[in-house]
Amino acid sequence: MKIAFVGKGGSGKTTLSSLFIRHLAGTGAPVIAVDADINQHLGPALGLDETVAAELPALGARLPLIKDYLRGSNPRITSADTMIKTTPPGEGSRLLRVREDNPVYDACARPVELDDATVRLMVTGPFTEADLGVACYHSKTGAVELCLNHLVDGRDEYAVVDMTAGSDSFASGMFTRFDMTFLVAEPTRKGVSVYRQYKEYARDFGVSLAVVGNKVQGQDDVDFLREQVGDDLLVTVGHSDWVRAMEKGHPPRFELLEEENRRSLQALQGAVDASYDRRDWERYTRQMVHFHLKNAQSWGNERTGADLAAQVDPDFVLRERMTATADPVATA
């Protein structure tokens, strides 16, 4: 299952995504964690030393390798240079799976030990000085979108993405790539403003959206959030001594997280798992194609010098059960 954590800057989405990753890993489930925020904090939130986290391989810097691997033998994609962030898979494309080893994970993912479990962590990479004035951060997150377009994940497999702050993800089609989107909101007017934007933008795309109230101090805060977001409010999270210790770099074992907050994480997993039966791979593929054609027309064709609409395989639908070999490729 693919899960996104979104929210305004400072809402606590990175902290909550890291807690959810720890929770899932503690159940024994395979987890891929992705830091797609412009401020790269997920690694330290998972317990990595700041220096180690800064040296993680950046997805954005390995885009040629990612494209070349995913392209596989797809005859509609003539070269990796013609692939853009929205390029959909077709017959002959290589697909990614949560539980496998592959060259993309070898180059871009690193294991992170969490108590008695291990997760794979991938990061887009920070916005560097060389990018200033000549690039936008969406050129970094494009690598994440391309991987999500080629990821075949099943029940009890999880890819958790800590997204960029605010509503920036709507600059591409990446907001449609998730089974569940958790919007982290503080009990303030600013805290729920991103929720209203997300709700409006996602209205026509079947996005499953739930609100996690964070930094809640009492019933008044709960009532405020309920008034503002209604039934979209799934759970609330309050003060945590465990989180405070984690932020100081000395997290206790995760089993010592407060019981109330553990129940909130269980509720998040329950919402994610319940969305499995609502999966619609045809719609998922159709949306992928929609945003690819939109990007092709607006800038992709001019940038690559190719007709990117020709990359769409009209007979292909990404599905959970597809041909899997030692070198898995997609078949229609």
Side-chain angles (χ1 to χ4, degrees), residues 86 88 284-294 312-313:
T86 52
Y284 189 82
T285 305
R286 188 167 60 248
Q287 289 176 341
M288 194 187 310
V289 169
H290 167 78
F291 284 105
H292 179 63
L293 295 178
K294 187 175 181 179
V312 176
D313 185 341

Side-chain angles (χ1 to χ4, degrees), residues 39-93:
N39 298 308
Q40 302 273 280
H41 295 315
L42 184 57
L46 292 173
L48 292 184
D49 179 82
E50 294 278 358
T51 301
V52 173
E55 294 174 350
L56 290 170
L59 283 162
R62 289 156 178 80
L63 200 50
L65 178 151
I66 295 170
K67 290 180 177 180
D68 193 58
Y69 178 76
L70 296 179
R71 181 170 70 96
S73 60
N74 187 336
R76 296 176 179 273
I77 304 174
T78 57
S79 72
D81 291 337
T82 63
M83 293 181 75
I84 61 174
K85 62 184 180 180
T86 52
T87 296
E91 186 168 358
S93 296

Side-chain angles (χ1 to χ4, degrees), residues 1-329:
M1 308 296 288
K2 304 179 185 76
I3 304 106
F5 279 81
V6 301
K8 78 174 185 65
S11 64
K13 65 181 181 61
T14 297
T15 296
L16 283 170
S17 61
S18 72
L19 292 177
F20 191 56
I21 290 165
R22 289 176 186 268
H23 166 75
L24 293 174
T27 69
V31 181
I32 294 175
V34 183
D35 192 342
D37 195 356
I38 190 169
N39 298 308
Q40 302 273 280
H41 295 315
L42 184 57
L46 292 173
L48 292 184
D49 179 82
E50 294 278 358
T51 301
V52 173
E55 294 174 350
L56 290 170
L59 283 162
R62 289 156 178 80
L63 200 50
L65 178 151
I66 295 170
K67 290 180 177 180
D68 193 58
Y69 178 76
L70 296 179
R71 181 170 70 96
S73 60
N74 187 336
R76 296 176 179 273
I77 304 174
T78 57
S79 72
D81 291 337
T82 63
M83 293 181 75
I84 61 174
K85 62 184 180 180
T86 52
T87 296
E91 186 168 358
S93 296
R94 290 192 182 98
L95 304 176
L96 303 175
R97 290 177 171 80
V98 173
R99 300 175 190 263
E100 70 179 0
D101 294 318
N102 59 55
V104 173
Y105 294 161
D106 290 344
C108 305
R110 294 295 179 266
V112 177
E113 302 291 334
L114 300 174
D115 291 344
D116 301 321
T118 302
V119 302
R120 280 175 166 147
L121 173 62
M122 298 196 294
V123 302
T124 59
F127 203 65
T128 66
E129 186 175 342
D131 296 322
L132 296 177
V134 297
C136 74
Y137 195 65
H138 302 118
S139 64
K140 305 276 189 183
T141 58
V144 179
E145 186 170 355
L146 198 57
C147 288
L148 291 175
N149 280 349
H150 290 75
L151 179 63
V152 181
D153 53 312
R155 188 190 294 272
D156 300 326
E157 299 176 334
Y158 302 92
V160 181
V161 183
D162 181 20
M163 297 281 280
T164 187
S167 55
D168 282 358
S169 61
F170 287 99
S172 72
M174 194 156 69
F175 72 98
T176 65
R177 302 298 84 198
F178 302 100
D179 296 286
M180 178 63 69
T181 296
F182 291 126
L183 191 143
V184 182
E186 299 169 81
T188 64
R189 286 184 295 177
K190 287 185 178 180
V192 299
S193 63
V194 174
Y195 160 79
R196 294 196 182 94
Q197 287 181 305
Y198 233 96
K199 186 78 170 178
E200 179 65 27
Y201 292 156
R203 188 180 307 277
D204 297 327
F205 292 93
V207 173
S208 295
L209 179 66
V211 174
V212 181
N214 194 29
K215 304 178 185 178
V216 171
Q217 297 182 9
Q219 189 60 43
D220 285 348
D221 287 344
V222 176
D223 293 343
F224 173 83
L225 287 169
R226 184 71 68 188
E227 177 186 344
Q228 297 296 316
V229 309
D231 291 340
D232 284 341
L233 181 64
L234 179 61
V235 295
T236 61
V237 178
H239 173 78
S240 171
D241 290 333
W242 193 98
V243 169
R244 181 59 59 89
M246 180 268 289
E247 291 175 341
K248 292 178 179 178
H250 305 290
R253 287 186 63 83
F254 190 62
E255 63 192 28
L256 298 178
L257 181 71
E258 298 85 1
E259 181 61 29
E260 183 178 358
N261 290 330
R262 293 181 68 85
R263 287 197 298 269
S264 293
L265 296 175
Q266 291 166 358
L268 298 187
Q269 184 181 3
V272 170
D273 291 346
S275 71
Y276 179 84
D277 292 331
R278 300 194 299 271
R279 294 191 118 181
D280 185 340
W281 287 104
E282 287 81 7
R283 183 182 69 185
Y284 189 82
T285 305
R286 188 167 60 248
Q287 289 176 341
M288 194 187 310
V289 169
H290 167 78
F291 284 105
H292 179 63
L293 295 178
K294 187 175 181 179
N295 279 272
Q297 184 176 14
S298 63
W299 60 269
N301 290 343
E302 181 178 358
R303 174 115 21 119
T304 63
D307 176 15
L308 300 185
Q311 294 179 342
V312 176
D313 185 341
D315 298 320
F316 180 83
V317 176
L318 190 69
R319 297 185 186 278
E320 183 174 335
R321 295 175 179 85
M322 306 196 72
T323 300
T325 65
D327 187 15
V329 296

